[in-house]
C-alpha cells in the first residue's frame, strides 16, 4: 500500500487522474450491517447523457457503473434521512 499525506491525497482525488484506492488499506473494509442489507433488483431507464456521466465517473474512480449508482443513491438517501 502506498502512503501520502492528506493534502496530497486530496489533490490526487480532485485531479481525478489517479485512483486513491492505491493508498487505502482495503483489507480492513467491511460492509456495515451486512446481515440487514437484503438486495433487490431494480430496472431503471435513464437518458443516454446520464449513462455517459455514470460511465465517466466509474472510469475515473475505477469502479463499476452500478457501484457509482449505489454510492450516489446512498449519499442522497443519507442526506434525506438526516433532515
Amino acid at each position: 500500500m502506498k502512503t501520502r499525506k492528506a493534502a496530497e491525497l486530496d489533490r490526487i482525488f480532485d485531479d481525478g487522474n489517479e485512483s486513491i484506492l492505491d493508498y487505502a488499506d482495503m483489507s480492513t473494509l467491511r460492509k456495515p450491517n451486512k446481515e440487514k442489507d437484503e438486495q433487490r433488483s431494480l430496472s431503471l431507464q435513464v437518458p443516454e447523457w446520464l449513462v455517459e456521466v455514470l460511465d465517466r465517473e466509474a472510469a475515473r474512480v475505477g469502479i463499476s457503473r452500478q457501484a457509482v449508482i449505489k454510492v450516489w443513491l446512498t449519499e442522497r438517501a443519507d442526506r434525506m434521512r438526516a433532515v
Side-chain angles (χ1 to χ4, degrees):
M1 179 176 73
K2 301 176 184 178
T3 59
R4 294 279 193 255
K5 292 187 178 195
E8 188 171 353
L9 283 177
D10 287 342
R11 182 194 55 75
I12 291 169
F13 180 79
D14 291 340
D15 289 347
N17 297 326
E18 180 182 355
S19 174
I20 62 169
L21 294 179
D22 295 335
Y23 303 96
D25 182 2
M26 305 301 272
S27 67
T28 60
L29 291 181
R30 67 176 181 78
K31 185 175 182 181
N33 301 323
K34 184 178 181 180
E35 57 280 347
K36 293 182 182 179
D37 286 342
E38 294 182 24
Q39 299 285 316
R40 292 182 62 185
S41 182
L42 175 67
S43 177
L44 183 65
Q45 292 185 352
V46 298
E48 184 64 32
W49 67 265
L50 183 53
V51 174
E52 292 169 5
V53 170
L54 291 166
D55 288 344
R56 277 196 305 272
E57 180 66 7
R60 187 182 73 79
V61 295
I63 60 177
S64 69
R65 179 193 303 156
Q66 179 173 319
V68 171
I69 294 169
K70 286 180 179 182
V71 168
W72 287 2
L73 287 173
T74 300
E75 288 172 349
R76 179 61 181 251
D78 285 346
R79 283 197 308 264
M80 291 175 67
R81 212 172 15 189
V83 173

